[in-house]
Amino acid sequence: MSDISLSRSTKRKPAAPLGRIGSFFKQHSWSYLFVLPSMLVFSVFTLFPILWALVISFQDSDLVTTGNWIGFKNYVTAFTTGNGVFGQSIINTLYYTVITVVANIFIALILAALIQKRGKVAKTFFLAAFYLPAVCSTIIIATTWKWIFNSEYGLLNYLLGLIHIAPVRWLSDPNIVLNSITLSTVLTIPATGVVLFNAAMAGIPPELYEAAQLDGAGPIQRWWYITLPLIKSTTLYLVVLYTIASFQVFEKFYIMVKSGVGTSTDVMVTQIYQNGFQQMRFGVASAQAFVLFLMIAIVSVVQFRFLRSDVEY
């Protein structure tokens, strides 16, 4: 009886949660020293400003007053002031995003498929050539397109004049200015998409295509049933990447139509810029910024839900 009691008393008791955490950090704390500098920089210059902006979005904050808690008033003000200009900017942003993301994915797929069939030298040349827009500054690209669309001496109107078509006010007509800026994005080669799609296609085993060809599958069938499903993860990454970039578009609109053309060129980030840095309404600007954040988060979750893939090969 005493032996049984002794054996029970000497059984190791499970460590307390705090003890396990302390043991974990004692064993691995040295490894966290390597990421500590990056975490400090991220916390000071990214995480803290984001959290502080969230606090400001609930305060009456401008150059004169700050710290007065007003709840959701800034969010209401963001949608009600300026005759609903922020609501129109959301519509413009969604329009620009849908067209540019779909076009960029489609163009990148086509170009990557065409490059994939070339030899090593030709493939390297075309990948380098198509990647040049990613190296160039967005400001330079926007300035170039502003010159192309110039109604008086722009290249596009010059070419139209050769076939006796009257000049078009590409960047001053409120009915077409948003389409003009969207077109400039569509016609700029999606460099990242071309490179990543090409790499994804190169990783597909050729045996799959050979087996499908032996079964009588044509080029389109092989493309639809083999290529597209097996690059779905890359497609998801690029769709999310291009969607975030399109929601956050600013430089192109600011450079090409700095003074704006009514509400036709208002997008969400230009509204945030105007409220935050021109009118100094920091609370309203912060509220608009978090509306943009929520929209990006919701769209990204939906994209992950419908485009995620568990295919392995």
Side-chain angles (χ1 to χ4, degrees), residues 206-222:
E207 294 83 4
L208 298 177
Y209 293 106
E210 295 172 1
Q213 190 171 6
L214 291 175
D215 289 337
I220 297 180
Q221 291 175 311
R222 295 195 298 270

Side-chain angles (χ1 to χ4, degrees), residues 117 209 212-213 216-229:
K117 302 297 183 181
Y209 293 106
Q213 190 171 6
I220 297 180
Q221 291 175 311
R222 295 195 298 270
W223 166 266
W224 185 260
Y225 292 106
I226 297 178
T227 304
L228 290 183

Side-chain angles (χ1 to χ4, degrees):
M1 186 69 177
S2 59
D3 294 339
I4 296 175
S5 301
L6 180 61
S7 62
R8 288 179 179 176
S9 63
T10 56
K11 284 184 179 179
R12 180 177 297 178
K13 296 182 180 180
L18 293 178
R20 289 198 297 269
I21 295 174
S23 176
F24 175 82
F25 278 104
K26 184 177 180 180
Q27 183 178 359
H28 301 285
S29 58
W30 65 270
S31 60
Y32 287 93
L33 294 176
F34 293 100
V35 297
L36 182 60
S38 297
M39 290 302 299
L40 287 176
V41 172
F42 172 78
S43 300
V44 172
F45 296 102
T46 302
L47 182 60
F48 176 75
I50 290 175
L51 296 177
W52 186 243
L54 178 62
V55 173
I56 291 177
S57 69
F58 295 101
Q59 295 180 343
D60 183 14
S61 181
D62 52 36
L63 287 178
V64 179
T65 60
T66 185
N68 298 326
W69 194 266
I70 59 175
F72 288 93
K73 185 176 179 180
N74 284 327
Y75 292 87
V76 176
T77 303
F79 284 95
T80 55
T81 57
N83 296 321
V85 64
F86 185 59
Q88 182 62 44
S89 72
I90 294 177
I91 296 175
N92 294 342
T93 303
L94 291 173
Y95 177 83
Y96 174 86
T97 299
V98 170
I99 294 180
T100 55
V101 170
V102 172
N104 282 339
I105 295 297
F106 180 76
I107 293 172
L109 273 172
I110 298 300
L111 292 177
L114 294 174
I115 294 174
Q116 187 62 35
K117 302 297 183 181
R118 303 301 98 193
K120 183 177 180 180
V121 176
K123 185 187 298 186
T124 303
F125 170 77
F126 283 114
L127 287 176
F130 285 136
Y131 198 73
L132 284 177
V135 179
C136 297
S137 169
T138 306
I139 305 299
I140 296 175
I141 296 176
T143 304
T144 303
W145 277 106
K146 183 178 181 180
W147 169 75
I148 293 175
F149 283 133
N150 189 279
S151 58
E152 297 179 2
Y153 51 81
L155 176 63
L156 191 53
N157 276 341
Y158 170 76
L159 296 176
L160 293 177
L162 296 179
I163 54 177
H164 306 289
I165 297 179
V168 179
R169 297 185 296 117
W170 301 101
L171 298 180
S172 56
D173 187 343
N175 296 318
I176 64 174
V177 60
L178 181 59
N179 291 323
S180 300
I181 299 176
T182 304
L183 179 64
S184 70
T185 302
V186 171
L187 294 181
T188 303
I189 301 298
T192 305
V194 173
V195 173
L196 292 183
F197 274 137
N198 181 77
M201 292 176 185
I204 300 176
E207 294 83 4
L208 298 177
Y209 293 106
E210 295 172 1
Q213 190 171 6
L214 291 175
D215 289 337
I220 297 180
Q221 291 175 311
R222 295 195 298 270
W223 166 266
W224 185 260
Y225 292 106
I226 297 178
T227 304
L228 290 183
L230 294 183
I231 62 172
K232 199 172 181 180
S233 58
T234 304
T235 304
L236 170 61
Y237 172 76
L238 288 172
V239 167
V240 173
L241 187 70
Y242 285 137
T243 300
I244 294 175
S246 297
F247 268 111
Q248 295 178 338
V249 64
F250 172 73
E251 301 95 332
K252 183 162 287 188
F253 282 82
Y254 185 77
I255 295 297
M256 297 179 69
V257 284
K258 184 175 182 179
S259 58
V261 184
T263 59
S264 301
T265 55
D266 281 320
V267 289
M268 297 183 71
V269 179
T270 59
Q271 279 294 298
I272 295 171
Y273 171 78
Q274 290 173 9
N275 279 289
F277 296 97
Q278 292 183 344
Q279 302 178 19
M280 302 302 173
R281 302 164 67 194
F282 303 125
V284 176
S286 297
Q288 292 174 334
F290 274 92
V291 171
L292 174 60
F293 167 77
L294 289 176
M295 290 181 61
I296 293 176
I298 293 172
V299 171
S300 298
V301 169
V302 172
Q303 290 171 341
F304 271 98
R305 174 66 180 83
F306 288 98
L307 291 177
R308 65 183 179 182
S309 175
D310 298 325
V311 175
E312 296 182 2
Y313 56 91

